[in-house]
Amino acid sequence: ILIICPASLKLNWVREFIKFGSPGAYHIKVMTHDKDRIRTDKSILTGNSCNVVIVNYDLLKSRFMLDQLIAFNPSIVIGDEVHYLKNPRTARTKNVAKLLNKKQKIIFISGTPMTNRPMELYPIIKMISPETIHPFDDWKRFAHRFCAAHQGRWGFDTTGSSNEAELAGRLRATCMIRRLKKDVLEQMPDKTLTVLPFEQNKATGKIVEQEY
């Protein structure tokens, strides 16, 4: 399993695995630096290898990290706060796309999948379910159909919106499950503040990487 999320949520994912996972089922590696290594070799003490990797979006800029994650070859990829991938030109969006293949189960999660305009959904849909927008899966066709694209004063303008009901219908019929806060509020746990100790290398000042 590969979890990709903002840095602030990595330890929250660890807590959820510990809370809901079967004892001993998950051996988690949290990546903290772009040179961290994924240890998939079996431990002499436990006989277990790492089967869950949690990494934040910013670390995906590292070619070393990307190559490791591709070699890890997860069967499930979960992207949390996936609106971080709304810009197709960023390194993290391009590199997440390189990680994905047809053999994997892919789950994308976001409270705000479209923060401003439909064009922000395009790279996310292309990664998880391009058939949802067929025959408008080409960037320019998508722009004309759902973004009211036109040639503006400063170039090709894709900041608009059009055929919103059609796009929403396509998403809900294929790849999107939507839950409103009012529908799940009673299921949400109380917010808590957790203080976590960590080890620090006194010589370098860096936090010592942790495995769970």
Side-chain angles (χ1 to χ4, degrees):
I1 303 173
L2 172 62
I3 310 290
I4 310 171
C5 62
S8 61
L9 296 180
K10 288 191 291 188
L11 292 182
N12 182 66
W13 273 98
V14 172
R15 288 195 296 268
E16 297 301 313
F17 271 104
I18 293 171
K19 182 178 180 180
F20 293 103
S22 301
Y26 299 112
H27 307 282
I28 305 166
K29 171 69 177 180
V30 179
M31 312 302 281
T32 57
H33 302 287
D34 58 7
K35 297 300 182 184
D36 281 355
R37 294 182 179 273
I38 300 171
R39 296 181 185 141
T40 54
D41 53 311
K42 291 192 176 182
S43 164
I44 296 174
L45 295 177
T46 65
N48 298 313
S49 59
C50 167
N51 59 10
V52 178
V53 172
I54 302 176
V55 63
N56 54 294
Y57 287 105
D58 288 340
L59 291 182
L60 294 179
K61 298 173 185 176
S62 163
R63 182 71 207 188
F64 177 77
M65 182 64 68
L66 178 64
D67 288 344
Q68 281 197 93
L69 294 174
I70 291 173
F72 180 59
N73 192 26
S75 55
I76 301 174
V77 178
I78 299 175
D80 196 359
E81 301 290 2
V82 77
H83 52 271
Y84 274 55
L85 305 177
K86 67 181 181 180
N87 187 342
R89 293 184 293 274
T90 61
R92 64 187 174 202
T93 301
K94 292 177 181 178
N95 287 345
V96 168
K98 291 175 183 177
L99 282 170
L100 305 179
N101 61 61
K102 294 181 180 179
K103 297 178 182 178
Q104 297 162 336
K105 294 181 175 66
I106 304 168
I107 302 171
F108 281 173
I109 307 167
S110 176
T112 51
M114 185 178 73
T115 54
N116 293 296
R117 51 186 66 91
M119 184 49 73
E120 296 170 345
L121 284 172
Y122 180 75
I124 299 170
I125 297 171
K126 279 287 286 185
M127 281 188 268
I128 197 169
S129 181
E131 61 274 12
T132 291
I133 50 176
H134 183 77
F136 309 109
D137 40 344
D138 172 79
W139 177 80
K140 208 158 191 176
R141 288 185 178 181
F142 182 90
H144 280 296
R145 185 71 174 181
F146 301 113
C147 307
H150 62 281
Q151 196 64 35
R153 183 179 178 183
W154 309 110
F156 192 59
D157 188 340
T158 63
T159 59
S161 176
S162 54
N163 298 303
E164 298 93 339
E166 179 189 346
L167 180 58
R170 284 170 173 262
L171 288 168
R172 292 177 184 173
T174 55
C175 65
M176 185 177 78
I177 300 172
R178 188 182 183 211
R179 294 289 180 265
L180 300 177
K181 186 181 288 187
K182 65 181 179 64
D183 298 327
V184 297
L185 197 58
E186 293 182 359
Q187 303 171 29
M188 296 173 70
D190 295 332
K191 291 185 178 181
T192 59
L193 178 65
T194 305
V195 178
L196 296 167
F198 62 86
E199 294 182 54
Q200 187 174 28
N201 186 314
K202 293 181 180 179
T204 64
K206 291 184 177 180
I207 296 173
V208 177
E209 62 181 84
Q210 301 176 60
E211 294 188 39
Y212 300 84

